[in-house]
Amino acid sequence: MREVEILEEKFCGVWGHLREEFLKAHNPEMYKSLSEKGELENYLRGYQTAYSNRAEKLAEELSAERGVNEELYKKDSLEWILESEKIQEEVKAKLAEEICR
């Protein structure tokens, strides 16, 4: 069973998978309708594409605002790594909140 879940996650991506899980839990009628119409795949791919782009842009904006750039990397690579990880976590949390509405 876990292999199937992994394949499904790879199929629709992290953001698409998150939206799929949200629909299953909170809007099963919509999930069922999209599935029955054969539209679920495209719907989830749309979420994956849109939110992948948003994640990238948001991470770039936050990095620029906080000075997490090549200069910081050269000066203190550990600090750059720590700050980059914080930004990624912040991006994931913000977008996950949006997707799960």
Side-chain angles (χ1 to χ4, degrees):
M1 183 71 164
R2 182 65 184 137
E3 290 177 289
V4 172
E5 291 172 0
I6 291 170
L7 289 175
E8 286 176 3
E9 187 169 327
K10 287 181 182 177
F11 176 73
C12 61
V14 172
W15 305 114
H17 182 69
L18 185 60
R19 183 62 179 180
E20 180 179 29
E21 291 304 310
F22 174 78
L23 287 178
K24 285 180 185 178
H26 301 284
N27 197 344
E29 299 84 19
M30 183 178 180
Y31 180 84
K32 182 179 178 186
S33 175
L34 288 168
S35 185
E36 288 174 350
K37 293 177 187 175
E39 297 173 356
L40 182 62
E41 183 179 316
N42 286 335
Y43 177 82
L44 297 176
R45 279 192 203 155
Y47 262 85
Q48 179 60 30
T49 300
Y51 278 86
S52 290
N53 292 336
R54 280 193 34 73
E56 187 176 324
K57 287 178 184 176
L58 184 55
E60 287 173 4
E61 290 171 9
L62 293 173
S63 293
E65 286 174 12
R66 298 175 187 176
V68 181
N69 53 29
E70 205 170 310
E71 281 182 39
L72 178 61
Y73 182 79
K74 289 176 183 176
K75 186 172 143 184
D76 188 346
S77 60
L78 181 57
E79 182 67 19
W80 182 89
I81 291 169
L82 293 173
E83 290 301 316
S84 294
E85 288 176 353
K86 286 180 193 176
I87 288 170
Q88 290 302 317
E89 289 303 314
E90 188 175 330
V91 167
K92 287 178 192 175
K94 179 176 176 49
L95 297 185
E97 184 179 311
E98 288 180 20
I99 288 172
C100 294
R101 286 191 204 154

